[in-house]
Amino acid sequence: MPDIVIAFFALGLLAGVLKSDLKVPGSVYEILTILLMLSIGIKGGLALHADAASIELSQLLLVAALGLIIPLLVYPVLSYAVKLNAANAASIAAHYGSVSAGTFAVAWALAETAGMPLAPETTLFLVILELPAIILMLALYQHRDPNIEGSMAAIWIEALTSRGVILLMGGVLLGWMYGPEGLAPIEGVVVGGFKAFLSLFLLEMGLCTARVFQPLPWQHWRLIIFAALVPFPLAWLGLAVGWWLDLPTGSILVLAALTASASYIAAPAAIRAAIKKADIGLAMLASLGITFPINVLLHLPLLAAWLDK
């Protein structure tokens, strides 16, 4: 049987494909997103509170470097093999260099279910991998097209003050400063409710995925093939770095999931504001319509089972 959180995603996807009237109200989805991000951050902060001395800055810098390496690897593939123009190649490379909080949460849940150990700094991987690819691809596109809207400083400020970064880093700081005793009054809801938040979040993601690829735009078959296949080699970058750093098994799974994922929250907002010529619909088709369900339904369960041997 698949993990219960994956079953919720499959339920939402099935409901969407069948054109059911099932929907998660927008206000509820916003609350779920806030609670899920805070829960992830606080879990990481609690781990830091217990063992902050074990974190090495050099390890975090190596992980952050993946956020620069991945877009540089996929950009030429998108340009020459998928045959996208410069704006869309930069846009989709930014999405794949950035990361998916939903994929992260699924990998974390699978690691916890399997009893895989997680390093204290694992939550920080999500935070530090979210921005570098976006900034790099915007800088590259700005170099090629000086008419890009907004300065890089403004883009940095907007990225660093985005909802996801504020909630994740805020949760990490709260968990680290207050520890289990200080968070005891809310721990049952914010931390203990992690899987419940994730399950309902993935129910909505299943519905969103069904909307994105119905009808499936076969004229973009090159992009569809790219989005279906690229998570598998990209995951090996995360696996290789995880083994190189001698991370615990759960953290290796999470890092591989992050490198295999594509952003569908932070990157679309930044790209939409800065690269007006980019088609965000193509990026969402690839990241949310193809890569996300392949990771959640197939790739991550296989990786988890393999690493847990």
Side-chain angles (χ1 to χ4, degrees), residues 5 13 20 29 85 90-92 98 107 111 113 131 138 149 160 175 178 180 194 197 207 230 237 258 264-265 288 298:
V5 298
L13 184 61
S20 166
Y29 172 72
N85 60 33
S91 166
I92 295 176
S98 186
T113 299
L131 301 179
L138 291 182
E149 303 242 346
L160 290 171
Y178 284 86
F194 169 71
F197 304 148
L207 293 167
V230 77
L237 290 174
L258 286 172
Y264 50 80
I265 297 175
L288 183 58
L298 175 65

Side-chain angles (χ1 to χ4, degrees), residues 91-202:
S91 166
I92 295 176
H95 283 73
Y96 277 85
S98 186
V99 290
S100 158
T103 307
F104 172 93
V106 171
W108 186 294
L110 290 174
E112 287 190 329
T113 299
M116 298 180 186
L118 290 152
E121 66 270 26
T122 306
T123 298
L124 298 179
F125 297 166
L126 173 61
V127 179
I128 63 180
L129 279 172
E130 191 166 31
L131 301 179
I134 298 173
I135 301 299
L136 175 64
M137 285 296 104
L138 291 182
L140 175 64
Y141 188 71
Q142 186 178 48
H143 176 71
R144 295 192 169 193
D145 182 1
N147 295 320
I148 187 173
E149 303 242 346
S151 67
M152 290 307 298
I155 293 168
W156 266 106
I157 292 171
E158 184 175 351
L160 290 171
T161 57
S162 66
R163 177 180 64 175
V165 172
I166 293 293
L167 289 172
L168 287 168
M169 287 307 300
V172 169
L173 289 173
L174 289 173
W176 175 52
M177 290 189 299
Y178 284 86
E181 293 183 3
L183 290 171
I186 64 169
E187 185 176 6
V189 174
V190 177
V191 179
F194 169 71
K195 272 209 166 182
F197 304 148
L198 178 58
S199 296
L200 294 175
F201 175 83
L202 288 176

Side-chain angles (χ1 to χ4, degrees), residues 8-23 203 206-207 210 214:
F8 268 80
F9 177 79
L11 176 62
L13 184 61
L14 177 63
V17 169
L18 295 176
K19 300 187 183 302
S20 166
D21 61 355
L22 173 66
K23 65 179 180 179
L203 178 69
L207 293 167
Q214 281 191 326

